């Protein structure tokens, strides 16, 4: 039986600021049983577009299964606040949130904040890697059963199950714990964009730093490669360095038509059904999102299901379920009594030592 594809799509629609437009796009993506949708964002003045995280939080109750992955930049922002915002989206969507990590590279964006000048891209991605590490620790800083809601004693949380994270790095220091309970997914899905050029021997320092961040933290990589051969080479390199748990989706332009167009449909299907690609699926970039996502749901998805390459429905509720990713345990949770010495908590993906228990107040410095 052929291996089913993981598919996602970009909802980017410059100039459209109404949430209803993005809700309609997400519903088309859900009809096509895509794993998730993304929405780009930055601090640049152009093009005009809505706040990605706020928009996807608005459409979360209007959708039921499709994952919601906004771009959230780590430049000029505080990782503590970012972690809470993405966590809130995970709660609003009942476990369907992801985070497309972005950086802000321009002087114009730096001037908008006035805190520091624009930095080199390698420095920005090193900062982004630390920001994701902080967010993951903060998501883990509440154990899953930290909320006790004990009305008899007036206790909302078990303070012994909240933990300092004690992160100190070159860009910021964060003590923790978080001020919000652990996300439904444990950790929302972290997604990092990578180009094939970033993996080349002559890659720029920024490209190498972006790959390093992806290898260290990404659950999903959105890979941009110019052709199938380059895509295979880049995907193989990523897989060797990151392991089999990484999901790699290749960026693919999708230009269809409102009415059936056999040639356009067959071109896209040929790309989607090609073998030996080295990737787990594709991240579709529609030329006209409303037109192309409707066509995807009406014509392309049924053809893929007929070929056994796309599921007929969502077997689980969370984005991790869609991607076949396990829910990680908190790195600070107590180890099972029968676990061997030094073993991580069940499902834990980190070897970080647990911090001491902390009061339910956040302490953040930068």
């Amino acid at each position: 039986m052929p291996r089913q594809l993981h598919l996602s799509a970009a909802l980017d629609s410059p100039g459209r600021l109404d949430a209803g437009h993005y809700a309609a796009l997400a519903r088309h993506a859900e009809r096509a049983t895509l794993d998730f949708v993304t929405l780009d964002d930055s601090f640049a003045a152009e093009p005009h577009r809505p706040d990605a995280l706020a928009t996807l939080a608005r459409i979360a109750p209007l959708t039921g299964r499709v994952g919601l992955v906004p771009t959230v930049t780590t430049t000029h922002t505080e990782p503590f606040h970012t972690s809470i915002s993405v966590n809130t989206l995970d709660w609003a969507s009942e476990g369907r949130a992801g985070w497309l990590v972005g950086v802000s590279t321009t002087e114009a964006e730096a001037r908008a904040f006035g805190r520091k000048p624009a930095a080199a891209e390698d420095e920005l991605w090193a900062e982004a890697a630390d920001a994701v590490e902080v967010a993951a620790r903060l998501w883990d800083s509440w154990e899953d059963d930290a909320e006790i809601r004990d009305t008899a004693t007036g206790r909302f949380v078990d303070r012994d199950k909240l933990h300092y994270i004690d992160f100190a790095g070159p860009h910021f220091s964060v003590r923790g714990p978080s001020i919000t309970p652990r996300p439904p997914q444990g950790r929302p899905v972290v997604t990092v964009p990578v180009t094939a050029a970033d993996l080349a021997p002559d890659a720029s320092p920024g490209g190498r730093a972006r790959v390093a961040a992806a290898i260290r933290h990404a659950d999903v990589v959105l890979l941009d490669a110019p052709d199938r051969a380059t895509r295979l080479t880049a995907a193989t390199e990523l897989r060797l360095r990151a392991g089999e748990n990484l999901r790699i989706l290749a960026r693919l332009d999708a230009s269809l038509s409102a009415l059936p167009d056999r040639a356009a449909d067959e071109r896209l299907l040929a790309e989607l059904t090609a073998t030996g690609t080295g990737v787990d699926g594709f991240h579709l970039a529609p030329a006209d999102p409303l037109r192309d996502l409707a066509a995807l749901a009406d014509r392309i998805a049924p053809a893929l299901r007929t070929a056994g390459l796309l599921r007929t429905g969502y077997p689980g509720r969370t984005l991790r379920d869609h991607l076949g990713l396990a829910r990680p345990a908190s790195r600070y949770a107590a180890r099972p009594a029968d676990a061997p010495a030094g073993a991580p908590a069940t499902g834990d993906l980190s070897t970080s030592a647990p911090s001491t228990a902390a009061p339910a107040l956040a302490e953040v410095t930068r």
Side-chain angles (χ1 to χ4, degrees):
M1 181 176 178
R3 183 178 179 181
Q4 291 191 338
L5 294 169
H6 291 288
L7 296 178
S8 62
L11 305 186
D12 306 331
S13 307
R16 296 299 300 262
L17 303 178
D18 51 310
H21 169 77
Y22 296 98
L25 298 180
R27 290 192 190 102
H28 286 314
E30 199 162 67
R31 285 200 299 120
T33 60
L34 302 191
D35 288 6
F36 62 89
V37 294
T38 64
L39 186 57
D40 197 20
D41 203 355
S42 77
F43 293 129
E46 297 290 343
H48 294 301
R49 54 188 163 195
D51 180 289
L53 197 149
T55 300
L56 294 187
R58 171 65 183 87
I59 69 175
L62 305 178
T63 54
R65 288 292 188 272
V66 69
L68 305 171
V69 183
T71 295
V72 182
T73 181
T74 61
T75 314
H76 312 301
T77 58
E78 300 288 350
F80 191 89
H81 300 153
T82 299
S83 76
I84 294 169
S85 298
V86 177
N87 186 353
T88 301
L89 178 60
D90 207 41
W91 280 104
S93 63
E94 299 181 318
R96 294 182 285 129
W99 173 13
L100 181 54
V101 181
V103 299
S104 300
T105 61
T106 68
E107 284 289 353
E109 291 169 293
R111 285 196 301 271
F113 286 84
R115 289 172 28 167
K116 59 183 180 181
E121 194 170 358
D122 57 336
E123 182 180 339
L124 294 177
W125 277 104
E127 180 185 44
D130 281 355
V132 178
E133 174 65 21
V134 167
R137 293 190 192 190
L138 287 167
W139 294 331
D140 283 355
S141 67
W142 287 52
E143 295 183 34
D144 288 320
D145 55 351
E147 286 184 76
I148 53 177
R149 300 174 183 261
D150 188 342
T151 56
T153 63
R155 292 192 304 155
F156 177 70
V157 297
D158 180 346
R159 291 164 60 120
D160 291 335
K161 295 190 175 183
L162 271 63
H163 303 273
Y164 291 126
I165 70 167
D166 293 325
F167 180 90
H171 305 101
F172 35 71
S173 61
V174 181
R175 195 176 191 200
S178 181
I179 58 173
T180 49
R182 195 157 192 250
Q185 294 183 99
R187 298 174 203 154
V189 172
V190 173
T191 304
V192 176
V194 171
T195 71
D198 295 336
L199 291 147
D202 60 348
S204 68
R208 289 195 294 270
R210 178 160 50 179
V211 170
I215 297 301
R216 181 179 169 193
H217 292 296
D219 299 300
V220 176
V221 161
L222 302 183
L223 176 63
D224 196 350
D227 53 61
R228 292 182 187 179
T230 308
R231 181 191 303 157
L232 176 59
T233 300
T236 301
E237 175 71 12
L238 282 169
R239 195 84 65 192
L240 288 172
R241 295 175 61 181
E244 291 300 317
N245 285 329
L246 179 67
R247 301 291 179 261
I248 304 173
L249 275 60
R251 184 187 181 282
L252 188 62
D253 291 330
S255 182
L256 300 168
S257 63
L259 298 175
D261 181 332
R262 183 174 178 178
D265 290 0
E266 288 183 350
R267 280 195 299 271
L268 181 56
L269 284 167
E271 289 290 342
L272 296 176
T273 58
T275 58
T277 62
V279 298
D280 299 293
F282 296 90
H283 180 60
L284 303 176
D288 180 329
L290 195 58
R291 178 198 69 194
D292 295 338
L293 288 174
L296 183 73
D298 292 338
R299 303 197 302 271
I300 304 300
L304 292 173
R305 293 185 188 114
T306 298
L309 294 172
L310 185 65
R311 58 177 166 241
T312 57
Y314 291 99
R317 287 199 61 86
T318 72
L319 180 51
R320 284 187 171 273
D321 290 338
H322 305 344
L323 293 164
L325 297 171
R327 184 184 188 276
S330 167
R331 71 192 71 195
Y332 305 112
R335 273 48 179 168
D338 58 349
T346 304
D348 192 8
L349 302 181
S350 170
T351 57
S352 300
S355 301
T356 56
L361 295 174
E363 303 172 46
V364 186
T365 60
R366 180 165 182 143

